[in-house]
Amino acid sequence: MDSNFTSGSFGEIVVGFSKFHDYQPIPHHGSGYCKLYTVISGERKLFLKAVNGGSGCGAENLARLQREYKLLERLYGNEYIVRCIGWRNDAEVGPCIVMEYVDGMRLNDYFATKPSAKERKRILLELLDALEFIHDRQVVHNDLKLENILITNNGHSLKLIDFGYADSDANLDKATGGTKAFAAPELLQQEKTDCSSDIYSLGFIIKALFPHRYKLIAAKCLRKNPQKRYARVSEIRKAIHRRDVAKWLCLITLLLVLMIWNWLPQNCIENTEIQPVAQND
């Protein structure tokens, strides 16, 4: 194996992916600390996130990329989070994170395919699974938005990407940022952030997936006061379940009422005896 390729805790997963070719830059409209590429290794396409040395902050950008790599290493193993393969000091692009290539589209583009309500709910539950996983490991994404959620072309599974603004209690060199349209008020004010900040951003995504069905759940996520939001992702999952159960109970009740309503008049007529009217002499 190439000595420049560090596998971290991933062991043999990087064996056979040392020689890269066909570097293709990817347009990137986010933060300027990194450059993105796809490469080919053997017959497999991979994704590289490399340091942007031309932005005037080379050392700072390198520290930030290394920090992101350490966080991704902790998050390895969840099928709904982009899989980090390792760190590489690449001869072509310099220091970079090597990740799986996700063949898919961003969630905001996926809406154009008009997915069914069942499909959208599955995607929402997969996102909740990914968020619960990272929060259980004391990691906050801090840039949760439609563009950072990919839907694979094969199987339409969710992949959460871009942990450039992610945070952890273990980090001393914390980065602040995120996208203003989705960011929690405390994040924009550069105050202390925690899992509640991701829950705020999640509210916008729930609204995008279900403008009406879960609007009360989304509204609670989007409360400005973090103490008034859901405390954890598991509470949102339970609220969704309760709402859907209540919906089905209402439908079943309505059907029973209609059945009884249609049955009663006919049976009342059949069982009613017509009494003769008494006449006075």
Side-chain angles (χ1 to χ4, degrees):
M1 189 185 339
D2 190 330
S3 60
N4 287 332
F5 208 129
T6 304
S7 64
S9 63
F10 308 142
E12 297 301 315
I13 193 168
V14 297
V15 174
F17 298 103
S18 301
K19 295 181 179 180
F20 295 168
H21 61 92
D22 194 20
Y23 291 77
Q24 298 294 329
I26 301 174
H28 181 52
H29 303 294
S31 57
Y33 84 97
C34 63
K35 292 183 178 180
L36 309 179
Y37 302 85
T38 60
V39 295
I40 302 297
S41 178
E43 297 182 353
R44 183 178 182 183
K45 182 180 280 190
L46 298 172
F47 178 81
L48 303 183
K49 192 169 189 177
V51 172
N52 183 4
S55 65
C57 305
E60 181 180 336
N61 291 344
L62 176 59
R64 184 171 173 184
L65 193 69
Q66 289 174 330
R67 175 179 158 280
E68 182 179 353
Y69 168 68
K70 291 176 182 178
L71 288 177
L72 283 170
E73 189 178 24
R74 290 170 59 182
L75 300 177
Y76 183 84
N78 186 281
E79 60 181 313
Y80 305 125
I81 296 173
V82 64
R83 187 159 297 184
C84 174
I85 295 174
W87 177 269
R88 180 182 177 97
N89 293 314
D90 188 77
E92 182 77 18
V93 301
C96 61
I97 303 173
V98 183
M99 290 182 272
E100 66 171 324
Y101 173 77
V102 180
D103 181 21
M105 65 183 80
R106 299 184 188 275
L107 182 56
N108 52 326
D109 297 323
Y110 181 65
F111 288 148
T113 68
K114 298 181 179 180
S116 66
K118 181 179 179 181
E119 184 86 350
R120 283 180 280 125
K121 184 179 177 183
R122 181 181 59 79
I123 288 170
L124 175 56
L125 294 179
E126 289 176 355
L127 177 59
L128 295 182
D129 186 274
L131 283 178
E132 202 165 8
F133 184 86
I134 70 174
H135 290 172
D136 285 347
R137 285 151 183 78
Q138 290 75 52
V139 175
V140 185
H141 189 280
N142 274 339
D143 196 18
L144 195 61
K145 58 184 180 180
L146 301 177
E147 292 83 357
N148 283 342
I149 298 169
L150 297 182
I151 306 299
T152 63
N153 290 328
N154 183 16
H156 295 166
S157 294
L158 178 140
K159 288 284 185 179
L160 182 60
I161 65 169
D162 200 348
F163 286 77
Y165 287 118
D167 201 358
S168 170
D169 290 340
N171 288 325
L172 298 177
D173 54 334
K174 296 181 184 296
T176 58
T179 303
K180 289 184 178 180
F182 290 83
E186 62 271 20
L187 181 60
L188 294 176
Q189 295 166 12
Q190 298 188 357
E191 298 174 354
K192 181 181 178 180
T193 61
D194 55 22
C195 299
S196 180
S197 304
D198 280 347
I199 287 173
Y200 180 91
S201 303
L202 177 61
F204 286 110
I205 296 171
I206 294 174
K207 283 178 65 176
L209 285 165
F210 293 98
H212 306 291
R213 183 170 172 179
Y214 301 127
K215 62 181 180 180
L216 295 180
I217 296 173
K220 185 171 181 178
C221 292
L222 289 167
R223 290 178 179 173
K224 291 184 178 181
N225 185 344
Q227 301 302 319
K228 294 184 177 181
R229 300 172 198 155
Y230 293 100
R232 53 188 60 85
V233 173
S234 59
E235 293 182 6
I236 300 174
R237 191 189 302 276
K238 290 177 182 177
I240 289 172
H241 178 70
R242 286 195 301 268
R243 192 270 176 203
D244 288 344
V245 169
K247 175 187 175 183
W248 283 111
L249 286 176
C250 287
L251 288 173
I252 291 170
T253 302
L254 179 60
L255 287 173
L256 288 174
V257 169
L258 289 173
M259 289 172 64
I260 293 171
W261 181 263
N262 290 329
W263 176 84
L264 275 177
Q266 181 178 355
N267 284 272
C268 286
I269 292 171
E270 291 176 351
N271 296 325
T272 299
E273 295 181 2
I274 302 174
Q275 301 295 332
V277 178
Q279 296 181 354
N280 296 326
D281 293 332

